[in-house]
Amino acid sequence: MSFFEKLRDRDTWDHYFGTLRYSLYCIVHPFDGFWDLSHEKRGSLSAANTIIFLVLLINLMKLGFTNFMFQNPPVNWDDVNLLLEIMTFLVPFLVYCLSNWCLTTLFDGKGTLKDIYIGTAYAMTPYVLIQLPLMILSNFVTEEEGAFYTYFGYFSLVWCGFLVIASVMMIHDFLLGKAFLSLIFTAVGMLVIVFLLVLFFSLISSGFSYFYSLYKEIIYRFY
């Protein structure tokens, strides 16, 4: 079935919305939810991509629609780089998935890179569900009532963190201690990957500068 045929196929859309709704089940029944997500294939890449897109969209919307009293530091639109704002979440997310896959392979983890990506994306669902209404609510509360805004903001992050731990346990069939240990090594692996990426692009930049200087020298000498 071609891509355009899939877009017109009702079963495709039913499957997409079904897997997207399943994220709501995962956040209230994390252990059963993430087990079925990977082992029973209850999730989908399209639903995971939708959740990640919504996280990115909300992060950008918060810059413009959150009450200035709750923006720390205040947003200066002359200094805002939308691509940088997107990469601030997307790059660590992808590096985490890659690092977790590499490290859990050494720990005899059962999850694939696809399972880790989908599970981690589904774990971001509380961020979408809480941060969006919080962004709207920030324009209707006073500074004294801002404690509720801060509390629920941190609560969404803690909930996501708990779901990430649950996803690691269920996707890789780990106990809690092994899941924590794998996450610690995953964080170390992320630092190693970032270091290698920085080193790689630094070498590429140095190589480009060298050949460009060589090109300019040749042009100068012959012309």
Side-chain angles (χ1 to χ4, degrees), residues 104-156:
T104 51
T105 300
L106 301 177
F107 282 78
D108 298 322
K110 295 179 171 58
T112 64
L113 182 59
K114 178 181 177 181
D115 292 333
I116 295 169
Y117 176 84
I118 294 175
T120 310
Y122 274 54
M124 298 294 107
T125 303
Y127 186 87
V128 176
L129 296 179
I130 295 177
Q131 292 289 340
L132 180 59
L134 272 184
M135 176 184 64
I136 299 172
L137 185 64
S138 69
N139 295 282
F140 299 96
V141 297
T142 63
E143 189 173 2
E144 290 74 16
E145 298 167 331
F148 294 99
Y149 174 89
T150 303
Y151 168 77
F152 282 106
Y154 284 124
F155 176 71
S156 69

Short mmCIF file of all heavy atoms in Angstrom, two decimals, residues 104-156:
data_model
loop_
_atom_site.label_atom_id
_atom_site.label_comp_id
_atom_site.label_asym_id
_atom_site.label_seq_id
_atom_site.Cartn_x
_atom_site.Cartn_y
_atom_site.Cartn_z
N THR A 104 21.84 -0.49 27.29
CA THR A 104 20.99 -1.60 27.73
C THR A 104 21.31 -2.88 26.96
O THR A 104 21.02 -3.97 27.45
CB THR A 104 19.50 -1.25 27.55
OG1 THR A 104 19.26 -0.78 26.21
CG2 THR A 104 19.07 -0.20 28.54
N THR A 105 21.90 -2.75 25.78
CA THR A 105 22.36 -3.95 25.08
C THR A 105 23.42 -4.67 25.89
O THR A 105 23.44 -5.90 25.97
CB THR A 105 22.93 -3.56 23.69
OG1 THR A 105 21.91 -2.92 22.92
CG2 THR A 105 23.41 -4.80 22.95
N LEU A 106 24.29 -3.90 26.55
CA LEU A 106 25.32 -4.48 27.42
C LEU A 106 24.72 -5.08 28.69
O LEU A 106 25.30 -5.97 29.29
CB LEU A 106 26.37 -3.43 27.79
CG LEU A 106 27.12 -2.76 26.62
CD1 LEU A 106 28.06 -1.70 27.15
CD2 LEU A 106 27.88 -3.80 25.81
N PHE A 107 23.54 -4.55 29.09
CA PHE A 107 22.87 -5.04 30.29
C PHE A 107 21.84 -6.13 29.96
O PHE A 107 20.99 -6.45 30.77
CB PHE A 107 22.13 -3.88 30.99
CG PHE A 107 23.04 -2.98 31.78
CD1 PHE A 107 23.83 -2.03 31.16
CD2 PHE A 107 23.10 -3.07 33.16
CE1 PHE A 107 24.66 -1.20 31.88
CE2 PHE A 107 23.90 -2.25 33.91
CZ PHE A 107 24.71 -1.30 33.26
N ASP A 108 21.93 -6.68 28.76
CA ASP A 108 20.99 -7.71 28.31
C ASP A 108 19.56 -7.19 28.24
O ASP A 108 18.60 -7.94 28.54
CB ASP A 108 21.05 -8.95 29.22
CG ASP A 108 22.41 -9.62 29.21
OD1 ASP A 108 23.03 -9.66 28.12
OD2 ASP A 108 22.86 -10.09 30.27
N GLY A 109 19.40 -5.93 27.87
CA GLY A 109 18.07 -5.38 27.69
C GLY A 109 17.38 -5.97 26.47
O GLY A 109 18.03 -6.29 25.47
N LYS A 110 16.06 -6.08 26.55
CA LYS A 110 15.30 -6.73 25.48
C LYS A 110 14.71 -5.73 24.49
O LYS A 110 14.16 -6.14 23.46
CB LYS A 110 14.20 -7.59 26.08
CG LYS A 110 14.72 -8.77 26.89
CD LYS A 110 13.59 -9.58 27.49
CE LYS A 110 14.10 -10.87 28.12
NZ LYS A 110 15.10 -10.64 29.16
N GLY A 111 14.79 -4.44 24.78
CA GLY A 111 14.15 -3.46 23.92
C GLY A 111 15.01 -3.09 22.72
O GLY A 111 16.24 -3.07 22.79
N THR A 112 14.34 -2.80 21.62
CA THR A 112 15.02 -2.31 20.43
C THR A 112 15.07 -0.78 20.47
O THR A 112 14.42 -0.15 21.32
CB THR A 112 14.29 -2.76 19.16
OG1 THR A 112 12.97 -2.17 19.15
CG2 THR A 112 14.15 -4.28 19.12
N LEU A 113 15.82 -0.20 19.54
CA LEU A 113 15.88 1.26 19.47
C LEU A 113 14.50 1.85 19.21
O LEU A 113 14.14 2.89 19.76
CB LEU A 113 16.87 1.68 18.36
CG LEU A 113 17.09 3.18 18.18
CD1 LEU A 113 17.62 3.81 19.46
CD2 LEU A 113 18.06 3.44 17.02
N LYS A 114 13.72 1.18 18.39
CA LYS A 114 12.35 1.63 18.10
C LYS A 114 11.49 1.59 19.36
O LYS A 114 10.74 2.53 19.64
CB LYS A 114 11.73 0.74 17.01
CG LYS A 114 10.30 1.09 16.67
CD LYS A 114 9.75 0.15 15.61
CE LYS A 114 8.28 0.45 15.31
NZ LYS A 114 7.72 -0.48 14.28
N ASP A 115 11.61 0.51 20.15
CA ASP A 115 10.84 0.41 21.39
C ASP A 115 11.20 1.53 22.36
O ASP A 115 10.33 2.11 23.01
CB ASP A 115 11.10 -0.94 22.06
CG ASP A 115 10.54 -2.11 21.27
OD1 ASP A 115 9.57 -1.91 20.54
OD2 ASP A 115 11.10 -3.22 21.39
N ILE A 116 12.51 1.82 22.45
CA ILE A 116 12.97 2.88 23.37
C ILE A 116 12.43 4.23 22.92
O ILE A 116 11.97 5.03 23.75
CB ILE A 116 14.51 2.89 23.43
CG1 ILE A 116 15.02 1.59 24.03
CG2 ILE A 116 15.01 4.09 24.23
CD1 ILE A 116 16.51 1.40 23.90
N TYR A 117 12.49 4.50 21.63
CA TYR A 117 12.00 5.79 21.10
C TYR A 117 10.51 5.95 21.39
O TYR A 117 10.06 6.98 21.90
CB TYR A 117 12.26 5.86 19.60
CG TYR A 117 11.72 7.09 18.95
CD1 TYR A 117 12.44 8.29 18.96
CD2 TYR A 117 10.48 7.09 18.32
CE1 TYR A 117 11.94 9.43 18.36
CE2 TYR A 117 9.97 8.24 17.72
CZ TYR A 117 10.70 9.40 17.74
OH TYR A 117 10.20 10.53 17.15
N ILE A 118 9.74 4.90 21.08
CA ILE A 118 8.29 4.99 21.29
C ILE A 118 7.96 5.10 22.77
O ILE A 118 7.14 5.94 23.18
CB ILE A 118 7.59 3.76 20.66
CG1 ILE A 118 7.73 3.77 19.14
CG2 ILE A 118 6.11 3.73 21.05
CD1 ILE A 118 7.16 2.54 18.46
N GLY A 119 8.61 4.27 23.60
CA GLY A 119 8.34 4.30 25.03
C GLY A 119 8.68 5.64 25.66
O GLY A 119 7.92 6.17 26.48
N THR A 120 9.83 6.20 25.29
CA THR A 120 10.23 7.50 25.85
C THR A 120 9.31 8.61 25.37
O THR A 120 8.99 9.53 26.14
CB THR A 120 11.68 7.82 25.47
OG1 THR A 120 12.52 6.70 25.78
CG2 THR A 120 12.19 9.04 26.23
N ALA A 121 8.89 8.54 24.13
CA ALA A 121 7.95 9.54 23.61
C ALA A 121 6.61 9.46 24.35
O ALA A 121 6.05 10.49 24.75
CB ALA A 121 7.73 9.32 22.11
N TYR A 122 6.11 8.25 24.58
CA TYR A 122 4.86 8.10 25.31
C TYR A 122 5.00 8.61 26.75
O TYR A 122 4.02 9.08 27.34
CB TYR A 122 4.43 6.63 25.31
CG TYR A 122 3.63 6.21 24.10
CD1 TYR A 122 4.12 6.43 22.81
CD2 TYR A 122 2.39 5.59 24.22
CE1 TYR A 122 3.41 6.05 21.69
CE2 TYR A 122 1.66 5.20 23.10
CZ TYR A 122 2.17 5.43 21.85
OH TYR A 122 1.45 5.06 20.73
N ALA A 123 6.20 8.51 27.31
CA ALA A 123 6.43 9.00 28.66
C ALA A 123 6.35 10.52 28.75
O ALA A 123 6.23 11.07 29.85
CB ALA A 123 7.80 8.53 29.17
N MET A 124 6.40 11.21 27.62
CA MET A 124 6.30 12.67 27.59
C MET A 124 4.84 13.16 27.59
O MET A 124 4.60 14.37 27.62
CB MET A 124 7.00 13.23 26.34
CG MET A 124 8.50 12.95 26.26
SD MET A 124 9.45 13.79 27.55
CE MET A 124 9.85 12.38 28.61
N THR A 125 3.89 12.24 27.57
CA THR A 125 2.48 12.62 27.48
C THR A 125 2.03 13.55 28.61
O THR A 125 1.31 14.53 28.36
CB THR A 125 1.60 11.36 27.45
OG1 THR A 125 1.99 10.53 26.35
CG2 THR A 125 0.13 11.72 27.31
N PRO A 126 2.41 13.32 29.89
CA PRO A 126 1.98 14.25 30.94
C PRO A 126 2.46 15.68 30.70
O PRO A 126 1.78 16.64 31.11
CB PRO A 126 2.61 13.66 32.21
CG PRO A 126 2.80 12.23 31.91
CD PRO A 126 3.13 12.16 30.45
N TYR A 127 3.61 15.84 30.08
CA TYR A 127 4.12 17.19 29.79
C TYR A 127 3.14 17.92 28.89
O TYR A 127 2.83 19.10 29.11
CB TYR A 127 5.49 17.09 29.13
CG TYR A 127 6.16 18.43 28.92
CD1 TYR A 127 6.95 18.99 29.92
CD2 TYR A 127 6.02 19.14 27.73
CE1 TYR A 127 7.57 20.22 29.73
CE2 TYR A 127 6.63 20.35 27.53
CZ TYR A 127 7.40 20.89 28.53
OH TYR A 127 8.00 22.12 28.34
N VAL A 128 2.64 17.22 27.87
CA VAL A 128 1.68 17.83 26.94
C VAL A 128 0.37 18.15 27.66
O VAL A 128 -0.19 19.25 27.51
CB VAL A 128 1.43 16.90 25.74
CG1 VAL A 128 0.36 17.48 24.82
CG2 VAL A 128 2.72 16.65 24.97
N LEU A 129 -0.11 17.19 28.45
CA LEU A 129 -1.42 17.34 29.09
C LEU A 129 -1.43 18.42 30.17
O LEU A 129 -2.47 19.03 30.42
CB LEU A 129 -1.85 16.01 29.70
CG LEU A 129 -2.08 14.85 28.72
CD1 LEU A 129 -2.46 13.59 29.48
CD2 LEU A 129 -3.15 15.21 27.70
N ILE A 130 -0.30 18.65 30.82
CA ILE A 130 -0.25 19.60 31.93
C ILE A 130 0.27 20.97 31.50
O ILE A 130 -0.27 22.01 31.90
CB ILE A 130 0.61 19.04 33.09
CG1 ILE A 130 -0.07 17.79 33.67
CG2 ILE A 130 0.81 20.09 34.18
CD1 ILE A 130 0.74 17.11 34.76
N GLN A 131 1.32 20.99 30.69
CA GLN A 131 1.95 22.26 30.33
C GLN A 131 1.05 23.13 29.45
O GLN A 131 1.10 24.36 29.56
CB GLN A 131 3.28 22.01 29.62
CG GLN A 131 4.36 21.42 30.51
CD GLN A 131 4.88 22.41 31.53
OE1 GLN A 131 4.74 23.62 31.38
NE2 GLN A 131 5.50 21.89 32.59
N LEU A 132 0.25 22.52 28.60
CA LEU A 132 -0.63 23.32 27.73
C LEU A 132 -1.66 24.10 28.53
O LEU A 132 -1.76 25.33 28.38
CB LEU A 132 -1.30 22.43 26.69
CG LEU A 132 -2.24 23.14 25.71
CD1 LEU A 132 -1.49 24.22 24.93
CD2 LEU A 132 -2.89 22.14 24.75
N PRO A 133 -2.45 23.47 29.41
CA PRO A 133 -3.37 24.27 30.23
C PRO A 133 -2.66 25.22 31.18
O PRO A 133 -3.18 26.30 31.48
CB PRO A 133 -4.20 23.22 30.99
CG PRO A 133 -3.42 21.96 30.90
CD PRO A 133 -2.65 22.02 29.63
N LEU A 134 -1.47 24.84 31.66
CA LEU A 134 -0.72 25.73 32.53
C LEU A 134 -0.34 27.01 31.80
O LEU A 134 -0.37 28.11 32.38
CB LEU A 134 0.54 25.04 33.05
CG LEU A 134 0.45 24.21 34.32
CD1 LEU A 134 1.83 23.70 34.71
CD2 LEU A 134 -0.17 24.99 35.45
N MET A 135 0.06 26.87 30.55
CA MET A 135 0.44 28.03 29.75
C MET A 135 -0.74 29.00 29.64
O MET A 135 -0.58 30.22 29.77
CB MET A 135 0.88 27.57 28.37
CG MET A 135 1.21 28.70 27.40
SD MET A 135 1.60 28.04 25.76
CE MET A 135 0.02 27.29 25.30
N ILE A 136 -1.93 28.45 29.41
CA ILE A 136 -3.14 29.28 29.31
C ILE A 136 -3.48 29.87 30.68
O ILE A 136 -3.80 31.06 30.80
CB ILE A 136 -4.31 28.45 28.77
CG1 ILE A 136 -3.97 27.92 27.36
CG2 ILE A 136 -5.60 29.28 28.72
CD1 ILE A 136 -4.99 26.94 26.82
N LEU A 137 -3.38 29.04 31.73
CA LEU A 137 -3.74 29.48 33.08
C LEU A 137 -2.83 30.58 33.59
O LEU A 137 -3.26 31.43 34.39
CB LEU A 137 -3.69 28.27 34.03
CG LEU A 137 -4.14 28.51 35.47
CD1 LEU A 137 -5.62 28.88 35.50
CD2 LEU A 137 -3.87 27.27 36.32
N SER A 138 -1.58 30.60 33.12
CA SER A 138 -0.63 31.60 33.61
C SER A 138 -1.09 33.03 33.33
O SER A 138 -0.65 33.97 33.99
CB SER A 138 0.74 31.38 32.95
OG SER A 138 0.71 31.68 31.57
N ASN A 139 -1.98 33.19 32.35
CA ASN A 139 -2.47 34.53 32.00
C ASN A 139 -3.68 34.95 32.82
O ASN A 139 -4.20 36.05 32.62
CB ASN A 139 -2.82 34.57 30.51
CG ASN A 139 -1.61 34.38 29.62
OD1 ASN A 139 -0.82 35.29 29.41
ND2 ASN A 139 -1.46 33.17 29.09
N PHE A 140 -4.13 34.08 33.74
CA PHE A 140 -5.32 34.39 34.54
C PHE A 140 -5.08 34.32 36.03
O PHE A 140 -6.01 34.51 36.81
CB PHE A 140 -6.46 33.43 34.16
CG PHE A 140 -6.89 33.52 32.73
CD1 PHE A 140 -6.38 32.64 31.78
CD2 PHE A 140 -7.79 34.49 32.32
CE1 PHE A 140 -6.76 32.72 30.46
CE2 PHE A 140 -8.19 34.58 30.98
CZ PHE A 140 -7.67 33.69 30.05
N VAL A 141 -3.84 34.03 36.43
CA VAL A 141 -3.55 33.96 37.87
C VAL A 141 -2.65 35.11 38.26
O VAL A 141 -1.93 35.68 37.44
CB VAL A 141 -2.87 32.61 38.23
CG1 VAL A 141 -3.80 31.44 37.93
CG2 VAL A 141 -1.55 32.44 37.49
N THR A 142 -2.71 35.44 39.54
CA THR A 142 -1.87 36.52 40.06
C THR A 142 -0.50 35.95 40.44
O THR A 142 -0.29 34.73 40.48
CB THR A 142 -2.52 37.15 41.30
OG1 THR A 142 -2.62 36.17 42.34
CG2 THR A 142 -3.91 37.68 40.95
N GLU A 143 0.41 36.85 40.75
CA GLU A 143 1.75 36.42 41.13
C GLU A 143 1.72 35.61 42.43
O GLU A 143 2.53 34.69 42.62
CB GLU A 143 2.66 37.64 41.29
CG GLU A 143 4.12 37.30 41.48
CD GLU A 143 5.01 38.53 41.46
OE1 GLU A 143 4.47 39.66 41.32
OE2 GLU A 143 6.24 38.36 41.57
N GLU A 144 0.78 35.96 43.34
CA GLU A 144 0.67 35.22 44.60
C GLU A 144 0.20 33.80 44.37
O GLU A 144 0.52 32.88 45.13
CB GLU A 144 -0.29 35.93 45.55
CG GLU A 144 0.22 37.24 46.13
CD GLU A 144 0.21 38.38 45.10
OE1 GLU A 144 -0.48 38.20 44.07
OE2 GLU A 144 0.88 39.40 45.33
N GLU A 145 -0.59 33.60 43.31
CA GLU A 145 -1.09 32.25 42.99
C GLU A 145 -0.12 31.49 42.09
O GLU A 145 -0.40 30.36 41.69
CB GLU A 145 -2.45 32.36 42.29
CG GLU A 145 -3.53 33.00 43.13
CD GLU A 145 -4.76 33.36 42.33
OE1 GLU A 145 -4.62 33.65 41.12
OE2 GLU A 145 -5.87 33.35 42.90
N GLY A 146 1.03 32.08 41.83
CA GLY A 146 2.00 31.46 40.94
C GLY A 146 2.60 30.18 41.49
O GLY A 146 3.18 29.39 40.73
N ALA A 147 2.47 29.95 42.81
CA ALA A 147 2.99 28.72 43.40
C ALA A 147 2.32 27.49 42.79
O ALA A 147 2.97 26.45 42.59
CB ALA A 147 2.78 28.73 44.91
N PHE A 148 1.02 27.62 42.48
CA PHE A 148 0.32 26.50 41.85
C PHE A 148 0.87 26.23 40.45
O PHE A 148 1.02 25.08 40.05
CB PHE A 148 -1.18 26.80 41.78
CG PHE A 148 -1.84 26.87 43.13
CD1 PHE A 148 -2.09 28.10 43.73
CD2 PHE A 148 -2.19 25.71 43.80
CE1 PHE A 148 -2.69 28.16 44.97
CE2 PHE A 148 -2.80 25.76 45.04
CZ PHE A 148 -3.05 26.99 45.63
N TYR A 149 1.19 27.30 39.74
CA TYR A 149 1.78 27.15 38.40
C TYR A 149 3.12 26.42 38.50
O TYR A 149 3.39 25.49 37.74
CB TYR A 149 1.95 28.53 37.77
CG TYR A 149 2.68 28.52 36.44
CD1 TYR A 149 1.98 28.37 35.25
CD2 TYR A 149 4.06 28.66 36.38
CE1 TYR A 149 2.63 28.35 34.03
CE2 TYR A 149 4.73 28.64 35.17
CZ TYR A 149 4.01 28.49 34.00
OH TYR A 149 4.68 28.47 32.79
N THR A 150 3.95 26.84 39.43
CA THR A 150 5.26 26.22 39.60
C THR A 150 5.13 24.77 40.04
O THR A 150 5.83 23.88 39.52
CB THR A 150 6.09 27.00 40.63
OG1 THR A 150 6.19 28.37 40.22
CG2 THR A 150 7.48 26.40 40.77
N TYR A 151 4.20 24.51 40.97
CA TYR A 151 4.03 23.16 41.49
C TYR A 151 3.62 22.20 40.37
O TYR A 151 4.21 21.13 40.23
CB TYR A 151 2.97 23.16 42.60
CG TYR A 151 2.52 21.78 43.00
CD1 TYR A 151 3.31 20.98 43.83
CD2 TYR A 151 1.31 21.27 42.55
CE1 TYR A 151 2.91 19.70 44.20
CE2 TYR A 151 0.90 19.99 42.90
CZ TYR A 151 1.70 19.21 43.72
OH TYR A 151 1.29 17.95 44.06
N PHE A 152 2.61 22.57 39.62
CA PHE A 152 2.14 21.67 38.56
C PHE A 152 3.16 21.55 37.43
O PHE A 152 3.23 20.51 36.77
CB PHE A 152 0.79 22.15 38.01
CG PHE A 152 -0.36 21.81 38.90
CD1 PHE A 152 -0.98 22.79 39.65
CD2 PHE A 152 -0.81 20.50 39.00
CE1 PHE A 152 -2.05 22.47 40.50
CE2 PHE A 152 -1.87 20.17 39.84
CZ PHE A 152 -2.49 21.16 40.58
N GLY A 153 3.95 22.59 37.20
CA GLY A 153 5.00 22.51 36.21
C GLY A 153 6.04 21.46 36.59
O GLY A 153 6.44 20.62 35.76
N TYR A 154 6.48 21.49 37.85
CA TYR A 154 7.43 20.49 38.34
C TYR A 154 6.79 19.10 38.40
O TYR A 154 7.45 18.08 38.14
CB TYR A 154 7.97 20.87 39.71
CG TYR A 154 9.01 21.97 39.67
CD1 TYR A 154 8.85 23.14 40.41
CD2 TYR A 154 10.16 21.84 38.88
CE1 TYR A 154 9.81 24.15 40.37
CE2 TYR A 154 11.12 22.84 38.84
CZ TYR A 154 10.94 23.99 39.58
OH TYR A 154 11.89 24.98 39.52
N PHE A 155 5.50 19.07 38.74
CA PHE A 155 4.79 17.79 38.82
C PHE A 155 4.78 17.09 37.46
O PHE A 155 4.95 15.86 37.39
CB PHE A 155 3.37 18.01 39.31
CG PHE A 155 2.53 16.76 39.32
CD1 PHE A 155 2.78 15.76 40.25
CD2 PHE A 155 1.51 16.59 38.40
CE1 PHE A 155 2.01 14.59 40.26
CE2 PHE A 155 0.74 15.43 38.40
CZ PHE A 155 0.98 14.43 39.33
N SER A 156 4.58 17.85 36.39
CA SER A 156 4.58 17.25 35.05
C SER A 156 5.94 16.64 34.73
O SER A 156 6.02 15.56 34.11
CB SER A 156 4.20 18.29 34.00
OG SER A 156 5.22 19.27 33.85
#
